[in-house]
Amino acid sequence: MQSENLVLVMGVTGAGKSYFINKLKPNSVEEGHGLMSQTKSCKLVQVQLGAYTVAAVDTPGFDDDEDSDAVVLAKISRFLIAQHLLGIKLKGIIFLHSINTVRFTGSHKRYLDTFSRLCGEEAFKNVALVTTMWERERHDTKYQRDAALQSGPWANLIAKGANVFQYDGTSDMAQTIVRLLMIKKDAVLQIQKELTEDHGELERTAAGANLAFELDKKLEVCQKEILALNKQKETAEQFHDDAALRKLEAQLEIKRQKQIKQLKSRDALRPKLVEETDRSIKEADNAKRTKGERWRNRLQIFVAVLSPMIGIAAHFLLPLAGA
Ligand SMILES: Nc1nc2c(ncn2[C@@H]2O[C@H](COP(=O)(O)OP(=O)(O)OP(=O)(O)O)[C@@H](O)[C@H]2O)c(=O)[nH]1
Ligand SMILES: [Mg+2]
């Protein structure tokens, strides 16, 4: 079987992940133009860089809707477990961050925190910390922001071996960054070790436990708010205050929707990913054998197992996932 090298492209919504992948292979994924997150599932794009065959993975970013962070982590983890179980080489993670970001708060902090826990310190050497959109930002404050990033939020990663790049938006530089990761030793991420060694749920990994803890706190608050609104509703009913009742009903509905979303996110941290993925690989394998066929390479199995959850650029899917 030919050697497959995987590179993960990560970063918050709008950091430039899809743009970067398109610079490796033009028009392979869709870029965003608005404020909403564009890439909803992991997308895999195969690129030939000299002697290296690289599968670059476009991952969904966390956005301002923090209740869905767990769902995004679950998607990325599912991907990482399949890659790990199939023995596909993970060469590196490209972490993108827009130099236009004025303040490193909210989703940026949460994302970096989850990212660091997902990788674990041993894998920091396989991380490329890349600032994007340099050519878009004319103001000189970009240099100060870059320095502040390196001495602040990124300092620990850099101290433990992460590599820093200022991305100029070109294909040449995108390729150079990927090529530099190709000469690294294969990475095994903390979350992969945690999940495969313990056969546990995502909620018991360092990255997942943190999100689970935050979600549990929020669920408690939401439940209390719903109880309080219900009490107010009872009072309004006693006094036949229709206007207040209507307002409270509307507020309750918003809270209930929020609760449903939070519960869904919490559930995303529960499945036993290793067992599920292992089972899916065996099922795909059996189906293939029954048809008297053989896999062409491990990426083909990977795509077959993950295709319900990942979108794959057509030019990649067709040659690999065909019968
Ligand atoms: N000039 C320039 N534009 C960029 C660069 N990176 C991203 N963009 C643009 O910024 C916008 C957002 O970039 P995307 O690549 O869609 O961001 P993303 O990280 O994939 O976002 P999600 O899919 O929402 O997670 C797009 O319009 C890109 O074309 C860059 O380095 N230079
Ligand atoms: Mg994208």
Side-chain angles (χ1 to χ4, degrees), residues 31-300:
E31 292 170 33
H33 299 287
L35 288 173
M36 301 303 284
S37 65
Q38 179 67 36
T39 310
K40 296 287 179 201
S41 56
C42 296
K43 293 197 165 48
L44 220 148
V45 177
Q46 197 172 22
V47 195
Q48 194 65 36
L49 293 179
Y52 300 110
T53 305
V54 185
V57 183
D58 191 0
T59 62
F62 289 6
D63 51 27
D64 285 334
D65 170 19
E66 55 190 284
D67 294 345
S68 62
D69 291 359
V71 176
V72 173
L73 177 69
K75 282 183 187 167
I76 297 173
S77 303
R78 226 170 255 278
F79 202 92
L80 287 169
I81 285 305
Q83 167 259 318
H84 188 69
L85 291 179
L86 286 166
I88 295 169
K89 288 182 194 166
L90 177 64
K91 280 297 181 183
I93 308 171
I94 297 173
F95 183 95
L96 300 181
H97 176 84
S98 166
I99 199 65
N100 291 329
T101 310
V102 180
R103 288 214 202 117
F104 198 94
T105 50
S107 53
H108 294 280
K109 272 197 178 149
R110 289 191 336 263
Y111 193 92
L112 183 67
D113 185 43
T114 304
F115 174 79
S116 306
R117 289 167 193 263
L118 174 125
C119 292
E121 291 187 350
E122 278 176 45
F124 285 179
K125 290 188 189 70
N126 294 75
V127 172
L129 294 170
V130 181
T131 38
T132 58
M133 314 217 196
W134 279 86
E135 79 284 10
R136 267 195 179 188
E137 171 70 79
R138 296 194 198 291
H139 220 267
D140 274 355
T141 46
K142 61 186 173 189
Y143 298 104
Q144 288 161 17
R145 284 206 285 267
D146 192 38
L149 262 180
Q150 293 193 38
S151 61
W154 284 4
N156 185 38
L157 281 126
I158 296 170
K160 297 194 171 110
N163 314 266
V164 180
F165 300 91
Q166 297 172 347
Y167 179 49
D168 62 8
T170 63
S171 283
D172 276 354
M173 190 163 182
Q175 289 186 13
T176 305
I177 294 171
V178 175
R179 276 168 193 260
L180 287 171
L181 291 174
M182 288 301 121
I183 52 177
K184 303 261 176 197
K185 283 190 189 147
D186 303 349
V188 180
L189 307 185
Q190 183 173 336
I191 203 160
Q192 294 175 317
K193 288 184 200 155
E194 287 172 318
L195 285 170
T196 48
E197 282 162 21
D198 300 347
H199 276 248
E201 297 95 349
L202 210 46
E203 65 186 347
R204 282 168 49 200
T205 64
N210 196 42
L211 293 183
F213 177 74
E214 293 300 327
L215 268 169
D216 286 343
K217 273 201 302 194
K218 284 197 209 158
L219 273 161
E220 214 180 300
V221 171
C222 195
Q223 184 58 24
K224 277 189 184 148
E225 288 170 346
I226 288 177
L227 284 174
L229 283 169
N230 271 325
K231 274 229 159 88
Q232 290 178 42
K233 221 180 103 185
E234 278 172 24
T235 316
E237 272 163 355
Q238 277 171 9
F239 290 95
H240 303 289
D241 185 346
D242 288 346
L245 255 178
R246 274 197 300 276
K247 208 169 142 198
L248 286 164
E249 265 305 342
Q251 286 174 337
L252 259 173
E253 186 51 29
I254 292 169
K255 293 280 177 232
R256 283 196 203 104
Q257 290 303 327
K258 193 169 155 189
Q259 191 180 38
I260 290 170
K261 197 153 181 230
Q262 287 172 346
L263 283 168
K264 202 175 142 212
S265 293
R266 190 63 185 83
D267 282 346
L269 298 171
R270 291 205 173 94
K272 294 206 170 239
L273 294 187
V274 177
E275 284 171 24
E276 276 183 18
T277 312
D278 202 30
R279 205 179 316 125
S280 304
I281 292 174
K282 287 192 179 113
E283 280 168 11
D285 222 16
N286 284 339
K288 195 83 174 163
R289 273 172 218 270
T290 314
K291 283 199 250 168
E293 292 166 358
R294 293 177 65 186
W295 299 107
R296 232 169 294 152
N297 54 33
R298 275 176 291 219
L299 273 181
Q300 197 189 15

Side-chain angles (χ1 to χ4, degrees), residues 9 12-34 36-45 56-61 96 311-315:
V9 182
V12 300
T13 282
K17 301 178 290 293
S18 301
Y19 177 95
F20 188 89
I21 301 240
N22 281 337
K23 287 293 164 190
L24 293 172
K25 187 162 199 161
N27 307 317
S28 44
V29 288
E30 197 167 337
E31 292 170 33
H33 299 287
M36 301 303 284
S37 65
Q38 179 67 36
T39 310
K40 296 287 179 201
S41 56
C42 296
K43 293 197 165 48
L44 220 148
V45 177
V57 183
D58 191 0
T59 62
L96 300 181
I312 301 145
H315 55 266

